[in-house]
Amino acid sequence: MLNNAKWISYPVDTGFECPMLFKSFKAKGAVKRATLTISAHGCYYATLNGARIGDFIFAPGCTSLKRVQVQTYDITKMLSEDNEIEITLSKGWFKGRICWRGTQEFPNNNECVIAELAISYKDGSSELIVTDESWGAKKSPVRFSDFYDGEHFDANFVDESPVMAKVQDLPKDVLVPQQGEIIKEQEIISAFKIFKTPKGETVIDFAQNLTGYFEIFANAKKGDKISLSFAEVLDSEGNFYTENYRSAKAEFEYTCRDGYQSYKPRLAFWGYRYIRVNSFPGELSLDSIKAIVVHSNIKKTGALDSSSPLLNQLFKNIFWGQKGNFLDIPTDCPQRDERMGWTGDAQVFCRTASYNYDVEKFFEKWLTDLRLDQGKDGCVPSVIPQFWGDGWSGCGWGDASTICPWQIYLTYGNKDILKKQFNSMCAYLKYISSKSKNRYLWTGCDHYADWLGLDAPAGSYKGSSRDDFLASAFYLYSTSLVIKAGKVLGRSVAKYEALYEKILKAIRKKYKKYKTQTEHVIALHFGIAEDKSATAKALADMIVANGTRLQTGFLGTPYLLHALSSNGYSELAYDLLLQEAFPSWLYSVKQGATTIWEHWDGVNDKGEFWSKDMNSFNHYAYGAVADWVYGVACGIQTVEEFPGFERIVIAPVPTDKLDHLSASIMTRHGLVSSKWYHDNGKIRYEITTPSKTTVIIDGKEYNVEKGSYIF
Ligand code: BGC
């Protein structure tokens, strides 16, 4: 791929000023077809004769540093007789602040591009224009760009001293065809209101926390400045609040030219609901700026609806949380100085994600990066791509390597994902056994464990569930998934079956009692508890004694409602789902959240922030509760033997606490939907299924074929 082209760059590192590589050329005759094949270390923004090429935002995307995706664009219609191609580069995910590892691994290379422009003429001749030392290089009007810190653009800037491009000595074997979904502009949101804060600052509210950029429209004089800052929330006094962005400056500066103009940032994104206007030429109106939502081009497949406006807002927030964090990789958050592919967050949310949107291709790409960045010892780094240097796996985080492939297989029914990931899944188990102090338990290692659990000791982020118990439980769970995947692939799994039994025995022997809500949840959900009904009762009692409130963090929360409803406590599960007081899902909704918060108490009931530095308002993890709504409350379940909804079980669990609830998923076989509602003292069920389905209502089974049914 790109065999004839060379990697080229600006001759020296321009820091965070964006360089531009360019070339002028003439078309030699009538053009039949022209394509541009291109990739970059860093992100590129390419234009031909001033018009943007393609609609892939932040191309070539975010991958392991071991590979770079290549894109091909049909540019036939864009060619003229005289042409100028210009490619602006940012450090992006290559050597921007987001990627510490890039600076370590490529100390001598700055951002660079490689491209081939293939033109076939109507007279049968052809021509290839490739990046090489004949290209020019200059500084671009993007005077500054960094994902964390934002963008500065000078509409008047012209580099009067262009130079020749430098050929960079970088291998081409890292080039791979585009694998993931491309990132695209998805929605435009109008400004909702403009207001003055108590401090006197001018702020625009978009009424939705979102990820992306914006377009500004201004009538200005040359040299006028537009300066914007971004925030997710206002503080308790109603002032603009940015401390939770930590070191991410998240700013936008624009120097105007004369006349009417509009501009969309080219190489940066922000997570925001509010924009503070620090300066703006002329009159600022609601039409001066529009928000542009940007995310991976995943197709919406899921829908949830209920009779409760608060619950419906929670559902909305869950979808927005996914849109805001599926930007080529599953990120933890889109606003502060992280925006990383945290493995724990991804595995927690994977099932919900796969019902809400078609994320098969998205996860296939990310899991490829996981495989590539997995250590030789099987270690799965905490963030994928591995932009940080850590070389250890924590329980519930490293397990993304087993949980995500299995879930993607279940939702979409394609064995290939298991084929590709199976060795990585097994290597992860090997890693655990090589690090653990104990043969059949996972002990003596570092973990994030029940991250952000509310039973954390003062000053700690970590809930008080025991590391070694949780780690051993995830060791067991991942082993079970390796067994299942191995069976699907026809591999011999006897060794893992024996391992599973030994881990189970060892956990049961060592942990007779569970201490926290999360420990109970995990013991139930992973099949560890021998006396399920006593364990479930103990969990239920703890929740009730706590005022019908949860205390769970990242590892307990996703399974909490499942553990209750699978063991006779569905009503209590509903009580937690519908709880409005802190801590609960609906608490944040009542506080005005439009996305899912990182912390149950992101804002406490006095309006104060949980913390200054670790407080994202767009973290999708706790949105994983949607999978209980799809799978239990509305009862739409995959069947492991017939994955991808080739066969379905629909076993809704209604409650008197809601008048109606419905869920639907556009599966690979068609639409499945399940709705129940109260009707004159009875419950009616409306079910549509695309496949052979077992409907279970009040314990009674009905086997139905594809079709729509009312019960
Ligand atoms: C991230 C999380 C992540 C965690 C590791 C945080 O800074 O935002 O979501 O999983 O670190 O515990």
Side-chain angles (χ1 to χ4, degrees):
M1 215 178 323
L2 289 163
N3 290 335
N4 300 297
K6 297 176 181 171
W7 286 106
I8 58 165
S9 72
Y10 194 84
V12 293
D13 189 348
T14 51
F16 290 96
E17 271 179 74
C18 291
M20 181 191 277
L21 286 307
F22 63 95
K23 170 117 186 154
S24 307
F25 60 95
K26 264 188 182 315
K28 290 181 186 154
V31 175
K32 194 168 135 206
R33 186 170 151 83
T35 55
L36 174 71
T37 304
I38 179 170
S39 188
H41 280 296
C43 293
Y44 67 79
Y45 175 92
T47 60
L48 184 64
N49 305 325
R52 181 172 194 150
I53 298 174
D55 52 1
F56 185 170
I57 311 298
F58 313 135
C62 177
T63 50
S64 157
L65 292 174
K66 299 195 174 94
R67 65 182 189 141
V68 198
Q69 299 179 118
V70 175
Q71 294 77 42
T72 298
Y73 303 100
D74 184 342
I75 52 165
T76 315
K77 292 206 177 102
M78 300 176 78
L79 277 192
S80 314
E81 204 184 324
D82 290 304
N83 299 286
E84 169 106 351
I85 182 164
E86 294 182 325
I87 303 166
T88 305
L89 295 171
S90 73
K91 291 193 160 33
W93 287 290
F94 172 56
K95 285 177 85 169
R97 285 226 286 133
I98 201 165
C99 186
W100 170 85
R101 202 168 250 271
T103 56
Q104 305 300 302
E105 290 190 10
F106 301 95
N108 303 318
N109 301 98
N110 36 321
E111 57 278 32
C112 51
V113 63
I114 186 164
E116 283 182 12
L117 213 161
I119 310 175
S120 13
Y121 293 101
K122 289 195 174 148
D123 66 5
S125 65
S126 61
E127 190 185 4
L128 195 63
I129 295 165
V130 298
T131 45
D132 59 16
E133 41 283 278
S134 73
W135 282 54
K138 57 186 171 187
K139 293 183 177 167
S140 79
V142 183
R143 311 300 305 130
F144 176 92
S145 167
D146 180 69
F147 282 146
Y148 288 166
D149 294 332
E151 179 169 317
H152 300 183
F153 188 88
D154 183 345
N156 309 299
F157 182 84
V158 179
D159 184 348
E160 304 287 0
S161 342
V163 290
M164 296 315 285
K166 177 184 165 193
V167 170
Q168 290 241 7
D169 181 22
L170 276 164
K172 287 193 208 168
D173 58 5
V174 294
L175 296 167
V176 295
Q178 172 68 28
Q179 185 188 18
E181 303 281 5
I182 67 168
I183 305 169
K184 275 174 81 165
E185 292 182 0
Q186 305 282 348
E187 280 169 66
I188 296 175
I189 299 199
S190 299
F192 173 67
K193 69 171 181 191
I194 300 176
F195 63 98
K196 282 245 184 269
T197 64
K199 276 192 185 159
E201 296 173 328
T202 302
V203 171
I204 307 175
D205 180 6
F206 287 88
Q208 176 60 54
N209 198 14
L210 58 91
T211 302
Y213 41 78
F214 46 84
E215 183 162 15
I216 40 153
F217 307 87
N219 223 328
K221 286 206 191 62
K222 183 173 174 186
D224 281 349
K225 301 273 183 206
I226 296 176
S227 159
L228 308 174
S229 306
F230 301 81
E232 292 185 289
V233 286
L234 304 175
D235 70 12
S236 56
E237 261 118 56
N239 284 314
F240 194 74
Y241 178 81
T242 56
E243 272 178 289
N244 66 327
Y245 284 49
R246 305 197 302 211
S247 76
K249 288 199 195 96
E251 55 189 24
F252 174 71
E253 305 283 341
Y254 178 85
T255 309
C256 304
R257 54 182 163 74
D258 260 331
Y260 182 76
Q261 56 212 284
S262 69
Y263 180 75
K264 290 194 277 190
R266 299 184 175 178
L267 292 157
F269 68 92
W270 293 260
Y272 68 97
R273 167 175 169 165
Y274 299 98
I275 293 184
R276 184 178 64 204
V277 182
N278 307 317
S279 64
F280 196 87
E283 184 97 354
L284 179 76
S285 77
L286 290 175
D287 295 328
S288 305
I289 183 159
K290 298 218 179 298
I292 300 178
V293 178
V294 166
H295 58 79
S296 285
N297 202 27
I298 46 178
K299 205 168 143 222
K300 187 164 182 272
T301 47
L304 297 167
D305 186 45
S306 77
S307 49
S308 154
L310 289 178
L311 197 54
N312 289 344
Q313 182 64 44
L314 174 72
F315 297 156
K316 261 195 181 171
N317 296 359
I318 293 169
F319 280 90
W320 272 103
Q322 183 162 355
K323 290 197 270 191
N325 284 294
F326 275 49
L327 198 93
D328 214 15
I329 57 166
T331 57
D332 56 336
C333 56
Q335 74 299 78
R336 69 177 177 221
D337 51 358
E338 288 208 56
R339 315 183 192 189
M340 296 279 166
W342 277 98
T343 47
D345 307 42
Q347 72 80 3
V348 160
F349 192 65
C350 183
R351 186 182 298 165
T352 293
S354 72
Y355 292 170
N356 287 346
Y357 288 86
D358 183 344
V359 292
E360 186 176 21
K361 198 165 153 188
F362 178 92
F363 267 102
E364 225 179 282
K365 165 182 168 279
W366 185 70
L367 287 168
T368 304
D369 289 315
L370 182 147
R371 238 162 47 217
L372 286 170
D373 284 350
Q374 191 166 11
K376 284 204 173 63
D377 59 356
C379 168
V380 177
S382 304
V383 296
I384 299 290
Q386 191 184 12
F387 290 162
W388 286 346
D390 72 347
W392 61 280
S393 300
C395 73
W397 270 252
D399 302 85
S401 60
T402 57
I403 294 171
C404 296
W406 181 248
Q407 186 57 52
I408 294 302
Y409 168 69
L410 280 187
T411 304
Y412 302 107
N414 188 346
K415 273 187 205 176
D416 284 356
I417 190 80
L418 297 182
K419 263 191 221 152
K420 288 185 191 149
Q421 300 301 132
F422 191 66
N423 289 346
S424 145
M425 295 168 81
C426 298
Y428 175 62
L429 293 187
K430 207 161 168 206
Y431 166 83
I432 297 174
S433 60
S434 72
K435 296 290 163 196
S436 176
K437 301 256 173 296
N438 188 302
R439 196 143 171 225
Y440 298 119
L441 296 170
W442 185 0
T443 58
C445 296
D446 284 334
H447 300 280
Y448 297 111
D450 197 27
W451 188 246
L452 309 184
L454 287 168
D455 48 11
S460 168
Y461 292 130
K462 223 161 91 167
S464 57
S465 299
R466 290 162 293 177
D467 280 17
D468 288 353
F469 171 73
L470 292 179
S472 303
F474 272 91
Y475 186 19
L476 179 78
Y477 185 52
S478 275
T479 305
S480 76
L481 298 180
V482 167
I483 295 169
K484 288 180 181 185
K487 284 186 177 163
V488 170
L489 298 173
R491 310 279 174 100
S492 151
V493 291
K495 173 172 118 184
Y496 296 109
E497 285 176 328
L499 177 65
Y500 180 89
E501 290 309 323
K502 287 184 172 136
I503 300 172
L504 183 61
K505 207 167 148 203
I507 300 184
R508 285 182 169 168
K509 188 163 169 225
K510 172 130 193 229
Y511 300 98
K512 299 270 182 221
K513 288 219 162 78
Y514 315 116
K515 297 192 169 161
T516 61
Q517 287 187 11
T518 288
E519 288 189 12
H520 283 79
V521 168
I522 294 289
L524 285 165
H525 197 70
F526 290 175
I528 294 167
E530 286 181 274
D531 187 342
K532 279 184 142 192
S533 80
T535 309
K537 181 172 182 314
L539 172 63
D541 289 348
M542 285 174 97
I543 292 169
V544 172
N546 194 40
T548 314
R549 316 228 190 146
L550 53 77
Q551 281 200 305
T552 48
F554 266 44
L555 296 190
T557 304
Y559 307 127
L560 172 61
L561 303 193
H562 291 279
L564 290 169
S565 57
S566 306
N567 293 287
Y569 292 93
S570 306
E571 282 305 315
L572 187 55
Y574 271 113
D575 288 339
L576 290 180
L577 178 70
L578 299 173
Q579 173 64 269
E580 294 176 20
F582 169 78
S584 67
W585 284 276
L586 296 188
Y587 169 77
S588 67
V589 173
K590 287 200 85 174
Q591 295 280 325
T594 58
T595 35
I596 301 292
W597 293 355
E598 178 177 24
H599 295 264
W600 295 115
D601 49 356
V603 180
N604 68 22
D605 44 15
K606 290 184 211 93
E608 294 156 354
F609 295 115
W610 179 85
S611 100
K612 281 185 183 169
D613 64 341
M614 272 288 289
N615 205 3
S616 149
F617 292 93
N618 198 354
H619 240 71
Y620 55 62
Y622 290 152
V625 69
D627 108 57
W628 186 82
V629 180
Y630 284 110
V632 179
C634 290
I636 303 173
Q637 293 160 23
T638 50
V639 177
E640 288 189 0
E641 296 72 30
F642 298 94
F645 296 94
E646 189 189 340
R647 293 218 185 151
I648 307 177
V649 168
I650 303 183
V653 177
T655 179
D656 289 345
K657 293 172 178 117
L658 290 170
D659 292 339
H660 70 83
L661 185 67
S662 66
S664 66
I665 305 167
M666 180 53 81
T667 73
R668 288 283 180 268
H669 295 273
L671 186 77
V672 56
S673 72
S674 164
K675 172 177 182 173
W676 54 255
Y677 53 95
H678 293 274
D679 181 19
N680 280 330
K682 290 202 170 142
I683 298 173
R684 289 233 171 267
Y685 300 84
E686 287 179 10
I687 281 165
T688 295
T689 174
S691 329
K692 262 189 194 315
T693 294
T694 304
V695 178
I696 308 175
I697 289 172
D698 288 335
K700 211 167 155 211
E701 291 193 8
Y702 307 84
N703 289 312
V704 300
E705 300 291 324
K706 169 183 174 153
S708 292
Y709 304 89
I710 296 185
F711 293 89

